[in-house]
Amino acid sequence: MQPPASASAAPAPAAAHVEALLASYADFPQPGIMFRDLNPVFADAAAFRAIIDDLADQHRGQFDAVAGIEARGFLLAAAVGYAANAAVLAVRKGGKLPGTVLTEEYNLEYGSARLELEVGQLPAGTRVLILDDVLATGGTIAATTRLIERAGYTLTGVGVVLELIDLHGRERLGTAPVHAIVSI
Ligand code: AMP
């Protein structure tokens, strides 16, 4: 007897989930920006599991901590940290963290921003994987890279769900391997 199709089919790779569910909004949040909404990917249990497994597997054995960038990077970092038994660092928008913090100012595809990281959370040399939803101009991840290095950690990788290749963000990042589940 044939097994049901769902039992024999291989799980769809993460990229297929992202391509099927990604939503795009022209002129949001301002004219000229094509906003890429990954919430439909997060809202699909199988898709979310696939992207978390993909991000964890691409860098498996190469990180002790994940740094998630506020806010959508938090969703990824929490889940990848749990899946990989890794510590979680929250890279927050300016003015939200107490105590001694490191600060980096940077330019966005639209506007400018400030990111911060608390110091002394993990030992110097801890291997860190940076996670965010979208790599656009690269300013956000480049600023996070500087925070990680200023804090004394070792950046061993960057993972994103979606890379917007026309914006050349990858070129602004350093030598650590950058993995994008989908590049468009
Ligand atoms: P960037 O610093 O330009 O690489 O921008 C990356 C950050 O801004 C990410 O945290 C994204 O969530 C957000 N972002 C920038 N451009 C877009 C876009 N076109 N669609 C969705 N999110 C974007």
Side-chain angles (χ1 to χ4, degrees), residues 65-91:
V66 285
I69 305 172
E70 188 168 358
R72 284 162 288 192
F74 290 174
L75 302 173
L76 302 169
V80 171
Y82 182 84
N85 198 29
V88 176
L89 295 171
V91 176

Side-chain angles (χ1 to χ4, degrees), residues 28 33-37 69-72 106-110 132-141 162 164 167 169 172:
F28 180 87
I33 301 295
M34 177 65 78
F35 189 83
R36 308 295 184 166
D37 182 15
I69 305 172
E70 188 168 358
R72 284 162 288 192
Y106 66 103
N107 293 318
L108 287 168
E109 188 182 3
Y110 37 88
D132 203 2
D133 62 338
V134 176
L135 171 60
T137 67
T140 302
I141 293 178
L162 181 67
L164 307 179
L167 296 173
R172 295 180 63 181

Side-chain angles (χ1 to χ4, degrees), residues 146-169:
R146 295 193 293 275
L147 288 174
I148 295 301
E149 289 172 348
R150 286 174 59 201
Y153 308 137
T154 303
L155 179 68
T156 54
V158 173
V160 296
V161 179
L162 181 67
E163 172 186 21
L164 307 179
I165 46 179
D166 288 350
L167 296 173
H168 304 288

